[in-house]
PDB file of all heavy atoms in Angstrom:
ATOM      1  N   ARG A   1      19.863  -2.784 -22.367  1.00  0.00           N
ATOM      2  CA  ARG A   1      19.968  -3.630 -23.571  1.00  0.00           C
ATOM      3  C   ARG A   1      18.653  -4.343 -23.852  1.00  0.00           C
ATOM      4  O   ARG A   1      18.301  -4.572 -25.005  1.00  0.00           O
ATOM      5  CB  ARG A   1      21.097  -4.658 -23.419  1.00  0.00           C
ATOM      6  CG  ARG A   1      22.483  -4.082 -23.516  1.00  0.00           C
ATOM      7  CD  ARG A   1      22.847  -3.591 -24.885  1.00  0.00           C
ATOM      8  NE  ARG A   1      22.822  -4.693 -25.830  1.00  0.00           N
ATOM      9  CZ  ARG A   1      22.583  -4.557 -27.115  1.00  0.00           C
ATOM     10  NH1 ARG A   1      22.387  -3.374 -27.622  1.00  0.00           N
ATOM     11  NH2 ARG A   1      22.562  -5.581 -27.913  1.00  0.00           N
ATOM     12  N   GLU A   2      17.917  -4.698 -22.799  1.00  0.00           N
ATOM     13  CA  GLU A   2      16.636  -5.394 -22.985  1.00  0.00           C
ATOM     14  C   GLU A   2      15.604  -4.531 -23.705  1.00  0.00           C
ATOM     15  O   GLU A   2      14.661  -5.052 -24.289  1.00  0.00           O
ATOM     16  CB  GLU A   2      16.081  -5.848 -21.631  1.00  0.00           C
ATOM     17  CG  GLU A   2      16.814  -7.028 -21.049  1.00  0.00           C
ATOM     18  CD  GLU A   2      16.241  -7.470 -19.716  1.00  0.00           C
ATOM     19  OE1 GLU A   2      15.260  -6.866 -19.234  1.00  0.00           O
ATOM     20  OE2 GLU A   2      16.789  -8.423 -19.149  1.00  0.00           O
ATOM     21  N   LEU A   3      15.779  -3.207 -23.690  1.00  0.00           N
ATOM     22  CA  LEU A   3      14.850  -2.321 -24.401  1.00  0.00           C
ATOM     23  C   LEU A   3      14.889  -2.558 -25.901  1.00  0.00           C
ATOM     24  O   LEU A   3      13.914  -2.293 -26.601  1.00  0.00           O
ATOM     25  CB  LEU A   3      15.201  -0.850 -24.147  1.00  0.00           C
ATOM     26  CG  LEU A   3      14.889  -0.263 -22.799  1.00  0.00           C
ATOM     27  CD1 LEU A   3      15.368   1.175 -22.738  1.00  0.00           C
ATOM     28  CD2 LEU A   3      13.410  -0.325 -22.493  1.00  0.00           C
ATOM     29  N   HIS A   4      16.003  -3.054 -26.406  1.00  0.00           N
ATOM     30  CA  HIS A   4      16.205  -3.158 -27.842  1.00  0.00           C
ATOM     31  C   HIS A   4      16.129  -4.588 -28.374  1.00  0.00           C
ATOM     32  O   HIS A   4      16.472  -4.830 -29.517  1.00  0.00           O
ATOM     33  CB  HIS A   4      17.539  -2.508 -28.216  1.00  0.00           C
ATOM     34  CG  HIS A   4      17.593  -1.075 -27.781  1.00  0.00           C
ATOM     35  ND1 HIS A   4      16.892  -0.090 -28.402  1.00  0.00           N
ATOM     36  CD2 HIS A   4      18.224  -0.490 -26.734  1.00  0.00           C
ATOM     37  CE1 HIS A   4      17.097   1.059 -27.787  1.00  0.00           C
ATOM     38  NE2 HIS A   4      17.902   0.843 -26.766  1.00  0.00           N
ATOM     39  N   VAL A   5      15.676  -5.499 -27.544  1.00  0.00           N
ATOM     40  CA  VAL A   5      15.456  -6.870 -27.990  1.00  0.00           C
ATOM     41  C   VAL A   5      14.030  -6.937 -28.539  1.00  0.00           C
ATOM     42  O   VAL A   5      13.065  -6.709 -27.813  1.00  0.00           O
ATOM     43  CB  VAL A   5      15.656  -7.876 -26.831  1.00  0.00           C
ATOM     44  CG1 VAL A   5      15.335  -9.288 -27.292  1.00  0.00           C
ATOM     45  CG2 VAL A   5      17.076  -7.787 -26.292  1.00  0.00           C
ATOM     46  N   LYS A   6      13.912  -7.218 -29.811  1.00  0.00           N
ATOM     47  CA  LYS A   6      12.608  -7.146 -30.480  1.00  0.00           C
ATOM     48  C   LYS A   6      11.592  -8.117 -29.909  1.00  0.00           C
ATOM     49  O   LYS A   6      10.399  -7.870 -29.957  1.00  0.00           O
ATOM     50  CB  LYS A   6      12.770  -7.405 -31.981  1.00  0.00           C
ATOM     51  CG  LYS A   6      13.487  -6.296 -32.699  1.00  0.00           C
ATOM     52  CD  LYS A   6      13.601  -6.589 -34.167  1.00  0.00           C
ATOM     53  CE  LYS A   6      14.358  -5.460 -34.855  1.00  0.00           C
ATOM     54  NZ  LYS A   6      14.501  -5.685 -36.289  1.00  0.00           N
ATOM     55  N   THR A   7      12.050  -9.240 -29.394  1.00  0.00           N
ATOM     56  CA  THR A   7      11.123 -10.257 -28.901  1.00  0.00           C
ATOM     57  C   THR A   7      10.643  -9.971 -27.482  1.00  0.00           C
ATOM     58  O   THR A   7       9.770 -10.665 -26.986  1.00  0.00           O
ATOM     59  CB  THR A   7      11.789 -11.646 -28.923  1.00  0.00           C
ATOM     60  OG1 THR A   7      12.976 -11.595 -28.123  1.00  0.00           O
ATOM     61  CG2 THR A   7      12.119 -12.065 -30.344  1.00  0.00           C
ATOM     62  N   LYS A   8      11.204  -8.962 -26.822  1.00  0.00           N
ATOM     63  CA  LYS A   8      10.808  -8.659 -25.440  1.00  0.00           C
ATOM     64  C   LYS A   8      10.003  -7.368 -25.388  1.00  0.00           C
ATOM     65  O   LYS A   8      10.260  -6.426 -26.121  1.00  0.00           O
ATOM     66  CB  LYS A   8      12.031  -8.519 -24.539  1.00  0.00           C
ATOM     67  CG  LYS A   8      12.749  -9.815 -24.283  1.00  0.00           C
ATOM     68  CD  LYS A   8      13.779  -9.637 -23.192  1.00  0.00           C
ATOM     69  CE  LYS A   8      14.415 -10.972 -22.868  1.00  0.00           C
ATOM     70  NZ  LYS A   8      15.326 -10.865 -21.758  1.00  0.00           N
ATOM     71  N   LYS A   9       9.037  -7.358 -24.501  1.00  0.00           N
ATOM     72  CA  LYS A   9       8.238  -6.165 -24.252  1.00  0.00           C
ATOM     73  C   LYS A   9       9.050  -5.237 -23.342  1.00  0.00           C
ATOM     74  O   LYS A   9       9.799  -5.701 -22.484  1.00  0.00           O
ATOM     75  CB  LYS A   9       6.937  -6.576 -23.559  1.00  0.00           C
ATOM     76  CG  LYS A   9       5.989  -5.449 -23.290  1.00  0.00           C
ATOM     77  CD  LYS A   9       4.716  -5.987 -22.625  1.00  0.00           C
ATOM     78  CE  LYS A   9       3.822  -4.822 -22.279  1.00  0.00           C
ATOM     79  NZ  LYS A   9       2.629  -5.263 -21.566  1.00  0.00           N
ATOM     80  N   ILE A  10       8.909  -3.919 -23.542  1.00  0.00           N
ATOM     81  CA  ILE A  10       9.618  -2.969 -22.685  1.00  0.00           C
ATOM     82  C   ILE A  10       9.174  -3.175 -21.247  1.00  0.00           C
ATOM     83  O   ILE A  10       7.977  -3.169 -20.956  1.00  0.00           O
ATOM     84  CB  ILE A  10       9.371  -1.515 -23.137  1.00  0.00           C
ATOM     85  CG1 ILE A  10      10.030  -1.282 -24.494  1.00  0.00           C
ATOM     86  CG2 ILE A  10       9.910  -0.525 -22.107  1.00  0.00           C
ATOM     87  CD1 ILE A  10       9.775   0.087 -25.078  1.00  0.00           C
ATOM     88  N   LYS A  11      10.145  -3.379 -20.386  1.00  0.00           N
ATOM     89  CA  LYS A  11       9.861  -3.696 -18.987  1.00  0.00           C
ATOM     90  C   LYS A  11       9.864  -2.423 -18.151  1.00  0.00           C
ATOM     91  O   LYS A  11      10.902  -1.806 -17.945  1.00  0.00           O
ATOM     92  CB  LYS A  11      10.917  -4.677 -18.467  1.00  0.00           C
ATOM     93  CG  LYS A  11      10.692  -5.146 -17.070  1.00  0.00           C
ATOM     94  CD  LYS A  11      11.764  -6.134 -16.667  1.00  0.00           C
ATOM     95  CE  LYS A  11      11.605  -6.550 -15.242  1.00  0.00           C
ATOM     96  NZ  LYS A  11      12.687  -7.463 -14.838  1.00  0.00           N
ATOM     97  N   ARG A  12       8.684  -2.013 -17.684  1.00  0.00           N
ATOM     98  CA  ARG A  12       8.559  -0.882 -16.766  1.00  0.00           C
ATOM     99  C   ARG A  12       8.429  -1.453 -15.361  1.00  0.00           C
ATOM    100  O   ARG A  12       7.682  -2.405 -15.149  1.00  0.00           O
ATOM    101  CB  ARG A  12       7.324  -0.047 -17.089  1.00  0.00           C
ATOM    102  CG  ARG A  12       7.436   0.729 -18.394  1.00  0.00           C
ATOM    103  CD  ARG A  12       6.114   1.434 -18.676  1.00  0.00           C
ATOM    104  NE  ARG A  12       6.255   2.376 -19.764  1.00  0.00           N
ATOM    105  CZ  ARG A  12       6.154   3.692 -19.616  1.00  0.00           C
ATOM    106  NH1 ARG A  12       5.920   4.212 -18.432  1.00  0.00           N
ATOM    107  NH2 ARG A  12       6.289   4.485 -20.643  1.00  0.00           N
ATOM    108  N   VAL A  13       9.140  -0.862 -14.427  1.00  0.00           N
ATOM    109  CA  VAL A  13       9.105  -1.362 -13.053  1.00  0.00           C
ATOM    110  C   VAL A  13       8.755  -0.228 -12.088  1.00  0.00           C
ATOM    111  O   VAL A  13       8.987   0.943 -12.383  1.00  0.00           O
ATOM    112  CB  VAL A  13      10.448  -2.003 -12.629  1.00  0.00           C
ATOM    113  CG1 VAL A  13      10.780  -3.203 -13.488  1.00  0.00           C
ATOM    114  CG2 VAL A  13      11.576  -1.000 -12.672  1.00  0.00           C
ATOM    115  N   ASP A  14       8.191  -0.600 -10.960  1.00  0.00           N
ATOM    116  CA  ASP A  14       7.975   0.348  -9.881  1.00  0.00           C
ATOM    117  C   ASP A  14       9.183   0.282  -8.961  1.00  0.00           C
ATOM    118  O   ASP A  14       9.732  -0.801  -8.719  1.00  0.00           O
ATOM    119  CB  ASP A  14       6.701   0.018  -9.108  1.00  0.00           C
ATOM    120  CG  ASP A  14       5.448   0.228  -9.950  1.00  0.00           C
ATOM    121  OD1 ASP A  14       5.527   0.935 -10.972  1.00  0.00           O
ATOM    122  OD2 ASP A  14       4.390  -0.296  -9.572  1.00  0.00           O
ATOM    123  N   MET A  15       9.608   1.436  -8.478  1.00  0.00           N
ATOM    124  CA  MET A  15      10.793   1.535  -7.630  1.00  0.00           C
ATOM    125  C   MET A  15      10.425   2.243  -6.332  1.00  0.00           C
ATOM    126  O   MET A  15       9.485   3.034  -6.304  1.00  0.00           O
ATOM    127  CB  MET A  15      11.891   2.329  -8.342  1.00  0.00           C
ATOM    128  CG  MET A  15      12.296   1.743  -9.670  1.00  0.00           C
ATOM    129  SD  MET A  15      13.311   2.842 -10.699  1.00  0.00           S
ATOM    130  CE  MET A  15      14.627   3.263  -9.630  1.00  0.00           C
ATOM    131  N   GLN A  16      11.166   1.954  -5.287  1.00  0.00           N
ATOM    132  CA  GLN A  16      10.970   2.602  -3.998  1.00  0.00           C
ATOM    133  C   GLN A  16      12.318   3.131  -3.520  1.00  0.00           C
ATOM    134  O   GLN A  16      13.278   2.371  -3.426  1.00  0.00           O
ATOM    135  CB  GLN A  16      10.446   1.606  -2.954  1.00  0.00           C
ATOM    136  CG  GLN A  16       9.202   0.855  -3.366  1.00  0.00           C
ATOM    137  CD  GLN A  16       7.988   1.741  -3.328  1.00  0.00           C
ATOM    138  OE1 GLN A  16       7.820   2.553  -2.433  1.00  0.00           O
ATOM    139  NE2 GLN A  16       7.132   1.605  -4.320  1.00  0.00           N
ATOM    140  N   LEU A  17      12.390   4.428  -3.239  1.00  0.00           N
ATOM    141  CA  LEU A  17      13.569   5.020  -2.615  1.00  0.00           C
ATOM    142  C   LEU A  17      13.210   5.192  -1.147  1.00  0.00           C
ATOM    143  O   LEU A  17      12.369   6.017  -0.799  1.00  0.00           O
ATOM    144  CB  LEU A  17      13.928   6.354  -3.260  1.00  0.00           C
ATOM    145  CG  LEU A  17      15.110   7.096  -2.640  1.00  0.00           C
ATOM    146  CD1 LEU A  17      16.374   6.252  -2.697  1.00  0.00           C
ATOM    147  CD2 LEU A  17      15.323   8.422  -3.337  1.00  0.00           C
ATOM    148  N   VAL A  18      13.815   4.383  -0.295  1.00  0.00           N
ATOM    149  CA  VAL A  18      13.462   4.319   1.122  1.00  0.00           C
ATOM    150  C   VAL A  18      14.508   5.078   1.928  1.00  0.00           C
ATOM    151  O   VAL A  18      15.698   4.799   1.829  1.00  0.00           O
ATOM    152  CB  VAL A  18      13.391   2.846   1.598  1.00  0.00           C
ATOM    153  CG1 VAL A  18      12.979   2.766   3.057  1.00  0.00           C
ATOM    154  CG2 VAL A  18      12.450   2.043   0.709  1.00  0.00           C
ATOM    155  N   MET A  19      14.052   6.058   2.714  1.00  0.00           N
ATOM    156  CA  MET A  19      14.956   6.829   3.570  1.00  0.00           C
ATOM    157  C   MET A  19      14.975   6.225   4.965  1.00  0.00           C
ATOM    158  O   MET A  19      13.924   5.860   5.506  1.00  0.00           O
ATOM    159  CB  MET A  19      14.530   8.297   3.634  1.00  0.00           C
ATOM    160  CG  MET A  19      14.932   9.050   2.403  1.00  0.00           C
ATOM    161  SD  MET A  19      13.658   9.908   1.498  1.00  0.00           S
ATOM    162  CE  MET A  19      12.124   9.391   2.043  1.00  0.00           C
ATOM    163  N   LEU A  20      16.187   6.136   5.540  1.00  0.00           N
ATOM    164  CA  LEU A  20      16.375   5.518   6.849  1.00  0.00           C
ATOM    165  C   LEU A  20      16.948   6.537   7.827  1.00  0.00           C
ATOM    166  O   LEU A  20      17.695   7.424   7.439  1.00  0.00           O
ATOM    167  CB  LEU A  20      17.340   4.333   6.716  1.00  0.00           C
ATOM    168  CG  LEU A  20      16.997   3.310   5.616  1.00  0.00           C
ATOM    169  CD1 LEU A  20      18.145   2.364   5.391  1.00  0.00           C
ATOM    170  CD2 LEU A  20      15.738   2.564   5.968  1.00  0.00           C
ATOM    171  N   ASN A  21      16.609   6.391   9.107  1.00  0.00           N
ATOM    172  CA  ASN A  21      17.185   7.281  10.123  1.00  0.00           C
ATOM    173  C   ASN A  21      18.509   6.705  10.625  1.00  0.00           C
ATOM    174  O   ASN A  21      19.011   5.713  10.079  1.00  0.00           O
ATOM    175  CB  ASN A  21      16.191   7.543  11.262  1.00  0.00           C
ATOM    176  CG  ASN A  21      15.853   6.291  12.054  1.00  0.00           C
ATOM    177  OD1 ASN A  21      16.520   5.261  11.956  1.00  0.00           O
ATOM    178  ND2 ASN A  21      14.796   6.372  12.832  1.00  0.00           N
ATOM    179  N   ASP A  22      19.071   7.308  11.679  1.00  0.00           N
ATOM    180  CA  ASP A  22      20.380   6.872  12.172  1.00  0.00           C
ATOM    181  C   ASP A  22      20.352   5.475  12.781  1.00  0.00           C
ATOM    182  O   ASP A  22      21.397   4.855  12.970  1.00  0.00           O
ATOM    183  CB  ASP A  22      20.951   7.891  13.175  1.00  0.00           C
ATOM    184  CG  ASP A  22      20.042   8.111  14.363  1.00  0.00           C
ATOM    185  OD1 ASP A  22      18.829   7.845  14.257  1.00  0.00           O
ATOM    186  OD2 ASP A  22      20.545   8.571  15.403  1.00  0.00           O
ATOM    187  N   LYS A  23      19.168   4.943  13.079  1.00  0.00           N
ATOM    188  CA  LYS A  23      19.037   3.563  13.598  1.00  0.00           C
ATOM    189  C   LYS A  23      18.631   2.601  12.481  1.00  0.00           C
ATOM    190  O   LYS A  23      18.277   1.469  12.740  1.00  0.00           O
ATOM    191  CB  LYS A  23      18.007   3.542  14.719  1.00  0.00           C
ATOM    192  CG  LYS A  23      18.427   4.345  15.920  1.00  0.00           C
ATOM    193  CD  LYS A  23      17.347   4.332  16.976  1.00  0.00           C
ATOM    194  CE  LYS A  23      17.818   5.184  18.132  1.00  0.00           C
ATOM    195  NZ  LYS A  23      16.866   6.183  18.545  1.00  0.00           N
ATOM    196  N   TYR A  24      18.619   3.109  11.250  1.00  0.00           N
ATOM    197  CA  TYR A  24      18.245   2.361  10.058  1.00  0.00           C
ATOM    198  C   TYR A  24      16.782   1.912  10.082  1.00  0.00           C
ATOM    199  O   TYR A  24      16.429   0.898   9.488  1.00  0.00           O
ATOM    200  CB  TYR A  24      19.201   1.175   9.823  1.00  0.00           C
ATOM    201  CG  TYR A  24      20.575   1.656   9.445  1.00  0.00           C
ATOM    202  CD1 TYR A  24      21.558   1.859  10.429  1.00  0.00           C
ATOM    203  CD2 TYR A  24      20.893   1.943   8.136  1.00  0.00           C
ATOM    204  CE1 TYR A  24      22.813   2.330  10.095  1.00  0.00           C
ATOM    205  CE2 TYR A  24      22.150   2.421   7.799  1.00  0.00           C
ATOM    206  CZ  TYR A  24      23.102   2.607   8.779  1.00  0.00           C
ATOM    207  OH  TYR A  24      24.330   3.080   8.437  1.00  0.00           O
ATOM    208  N   ASP A  25      15.926   2.702  10.750  1.00  0.00           N
ATOM    209  CA  ASP A  25      14.485   2.501  10.683  1.00  0.00           C
ATOM    210  C   ASP A  25      13.954   3.354   9.537  1.00  0.00           C
ATOM    211  O   ASP A  25      14.425   4.469   9.314  1.00  0.00           O
ATOM    212  CB  ASP A  25      13.803   2.938  11.986  1.00  0.00           C
ATOM    213  CG  ASP A  25      14.252   2.117  13.185  1.00  0.00           C
ATOM    214  OD1 ASP A  25      14.457   0.898  13.017  1.00  0.00           O
ATOM    215  OD2 ASP A  25      14.401   2.700  14.282  1.00  0.00           O
ATOM    216  N   GLU A  26      12.956   2.855   8.848  1.00  0.00           N
ATOM    217  CA  GLU A  26      12.387   3.614   7.738  1.00  0.00           C
ATOM    218  C   GLU A  26      11.629   4.840   8.253  1.00  0.00           C
ATOM    219  O   GLU A  26      10.825   4.732   9.168  1.00  0.00           O
ATOM    220  CB  GLU A  26      11.440   2.730   6.934  1.00  0.00           C
ATOM    221  CG  GLU A  26      10.855   3.440   5.738  1.00  0.00           C
ATOM    222  CD  GLU A  26       9.985   2.543   4.881  1.00  0.00           C
ATOM    223  OE1 GLU A  26      10.245   1.330   4.810  1.00  0.00           O
ATOM    224  OE2 GLU A  26       9.037   3.073   4.283  1.00  0.00           O
ATOM    225  N   VAL A  27      11.902   6.005   7.639  1.00  0.00           N
ATOM    226  CA  VAL A  27      11.209   7.236   8.004  1.00  0.00           C
ATOM    227  C   VAL A  27      10.335   7.755   6.865  1.00  0.00           C
ATOM    228  O   VAL A  27       9.516   8.650   7.072  1.00  0.00           O
ATOM    229  CB  VAL A  27      12.191   8.343   8.460  1.00  0.00           C
ATOM    230  CG1 VAL A  27      12.897   7.926   9.729  1.00  0.00           C
ATOM    231  CG2 VAL A  27      13.186   8.684   7.377  1.00  0.00           C
ATOM    232  N   GLY A  28      10.477   7.206   5.686  1.00  0.00           N
ATOM    233  CA  GLY A  28       9.658   7.612   4.552  1.00  0.00           C
ATOM    234  C   GLY A  28      10.163   6.964   3.280  1.00  0.00           C
ATOM    235  O   GLY A  28      11.257   6.384   3.255  1.00  0.00           O
ATOM    236  N   ARG A  29       9.348   7.064   2.237  1.00  0.00           N
ATOM    237  CA  ARG A  29       9.746   6.490   0.949  1.00  0.00           C
ATOM    238  C   ARG A  29       9.125   7.252  -0.199  1.00  0.00           C
ATOM    239  O   ARG A  29       8.035   7.794  -0.086  1.00  0.00           O
ATOM    240  CB  ARG A  29       9.410   5.008   0.868  1.00  0.00           C
ATOM    241  CG  ARG A  29       7.959   4.674   0.911  1.00  0.00           C
ATOM    242  CD  ARG A  29       7.649   3.185   0.739  1.00  0.00           C
ATOM    243  NE  ARG A  29       8.445   2.337   1.587  1.00  0.00           N
ATOM    244  CZ  ARG A  29       8.915   1.150   1.227  1.00  0.00           C
ATOM    245  NH1 ARG A  29       8.646   0.663   0.042  1.00  0.00           N
ATOM    246  NH2 ARG A  29       9.645   0.431   2.041  1.00  0.00           N
ATOM    247  N   PHE A  30       9.861   7.285  -1.304  1.00  0.00           N
ATOM    248  CA  PHE A  30       9.344   7.798  -2.560  1.00  0.00           C
ATOM    249  C   PHE A  30       8.993   6.585  -3.415  1.00  0.00           C
ATOM    250  O   PHE A  30       9.848   5.737  -3.653  1.00  0.00           O
ATOM    251  CB  PHE A  30      10.391   8.644  -3.295  1.00  0.00           C
ATOM    252  CG  PHE A  30      10.601  10.001  -2.698  1.00  0.00           C
ATOM    253  CD1 PHE A  30      11.584  10.203  -1.757  1.00  0.00           C
ATOM    254  CD2 PHE A  30       9.813  11.077  -3.087  1.00  0.00           C
ATOM    255  CE1 PHE A  30      11.800  11.458  -1.208  1.00  0.00           C
ATOM    256  CE2 PHE A  30      10.016  12.331  -2.542  1.00  0.00           C
ATOM    257  CZ  PHE A  30      11.011  12.518  -1.607  1.00  0.00           C
ATOM    258  N   SER A  31       7.754   6.493  -3.854  1.00  0.00           N
ATOM    259  CA  SER A  31       7.336   5.446  -4.783  1.00  0.00           C
ATOM    260  C   SER A  31       7.444   6.025  -6.188  1.00  0.00           C
ATOM    261  O   SER A  31       6.851   7.062  -6.488  1.00  0.00           O
ATOM    262  CB  SER A  31       5.896   5.021  -4.504  1.00  0.00           C
ATOM    263  OG  SER A  31       5.785   4.448  -3.228  1.00  0.00           O
ATOM    264  N   ILE A  32       8.214   5.366  -7.042  1.00  0.00           N
ATOM    265  CA  ILE A  32       8.486   5.830  -8.402  1.00  0.00           C
ATOM    266  C   ILE A  32       7.835   4.813  -9.342  1.00  0.00           C
ATOM    267  O   ILE A  32       8.168   3.631  -9.305  1.00  0.00           O
ATOM    268  CB  ILE A  32      10.004   5.936  -8.634  1.00  0.00           C
ATOM    269  CG1 ILE A  32      10.586   6.917  -7.606  1.00  0.00           C
ATOM    270  CG2 ILE A  32      10.310   6.347 -10.056  1.00  0.00           C
ATOM    271  CD1 ILE A  32      12.052   6.762  -7.373  1.00  0.00           C
ATOM    272  N   TYR A  33       6.895   5.284 -10.172  1.00  0.00           N
ATOM    273  CA  TYR A  33       6.036   4.369 -10.918  1.00  0.00           C
ATOM    274  C   TYR A  33       6.394   4.297 -12.402  1.00  0.00           C
ATOM    275  O   TYR A  33       6.682   5.293 -13.033  1.00  0.00           O
ATOM    276  CB  TYR A  33       4.575   4.813 -10.782  1.00  0.00           C
ATOM    277  CG  TYR A  33       4.089   4.747  -9.357  1.00  0.00           C
ATOM    278  CD1 TYR A  33       3.978   5.898  -8.590  1.00  0.00           C
ATOM    279  CD2 TYR A  33       3.755   3.534  -8.766  1.00  0.00           C
ATOM    280  CE1 TYR A  33       3.535   5.848  -7.279  1.00  0.00           C
ATOM    281  CE2 TYR A  33       3.318   3.468  -7.459  1.00  0.00           C
ATOM    282  CZ  TYR A  33       3.203   4.629  -6.720  1.00  0.00           C
ATOM    283  OH  TYR A  33       2.772   4.568  -5.416  1.00  0.00           O
ATOM    284  N   LYS A  34       6.335   3.055 -12.921  1.00  0.00           N
ATOM    285  CA  LYS A  34       6.495   2.734 -14.345  1.00  0.00           C
ATOM    286  C   LYS A  34       7.805   3.262 -14.912  1.00  0.00           C
ATOM    287  O   LYS A  34       7.830   3.974 -15.913  1.00  0.00           O
ATOM    288  CB  LYS A  34       5.295   3.211 -15.139  1.00  0.00           C
ATOM    289  CG  LYS A  34       4.015   2.568 -14.640  1.00  0.00           C
ATOM    290  CD  LYS A  34       2.887   2.775 -15.568  1.00  0.00           C
ATOM    291  CE  LYS A  34       1.684   2.088 -14.934  1.00  0.00           C
ATOM    292  NZ  LYS A  34       0.613   1.883 -15.806  1.00  0.00           N
ATOM    293  N   ALA A  35       8.890   2.885 -14.283  1.00  0.00           N
ATOM    294  CA  ALA A  35      10.222   3.359 -14.668  1.00  0.00           C
ATOM    295  C   ALA A  35      10.861   2.428 -15.693  1.00  0.00           C
ATOM    296  O   ALA A  35      10.654   1.216 -15.666  1.00  0.00           O
ATOM    297  CB  ALA A  35      11.102   3.447 -13.428  1.00  0.00           C
ATOM    298  N   PHE A  36      11.637   3.041 -16.599  1.00  0.00           N
ATOM    299  CA  PHE A  36      12.448   2.263 -17.542  1.00  0.00           C
ATOM    300  C   PHE A  36      13.657   3.105 -17.934  1.00  0.00           C
ATOM    301  O   PHE A  36      13.612   4.330 -17.914  1.00  0.00           O
ATOM    302  CB  PHE A  36      11.642   1.819 -18.782  1.00  0.00           C
ATOM    303  CG  PHE A  36      11.135   2.949 -19.618  1.00  0.00           C
ATOM    304  CD1 PHE A  36      11.853   3.409 -20.709  1.00  0.00           C
ATOM    305  CD2 PHE A  36       9.925   3.555 -19.323  1.00  0.00           C
ATOM    306  CE1 PHE A  36      11.388   4.451 -21.486  1.00  0.00           C
ATOM    307  CE2 PHE A  36       9.444   4.595 -20.103  1.00  0.00           C
ATOM    308  CZ  PHE A  36      10.176   5.045 -21.176  1.00  0.00           C
TER     309      PHE A  36
END
């Protein structure tokens, strides 16, 4: 909905998809840039 508010700039965000192992330790991540 914020995309269509004329007074607001389109908000692009960076996202991280973090993969965890069976002990919930991070094993890798996908960095996703300028998402909307």
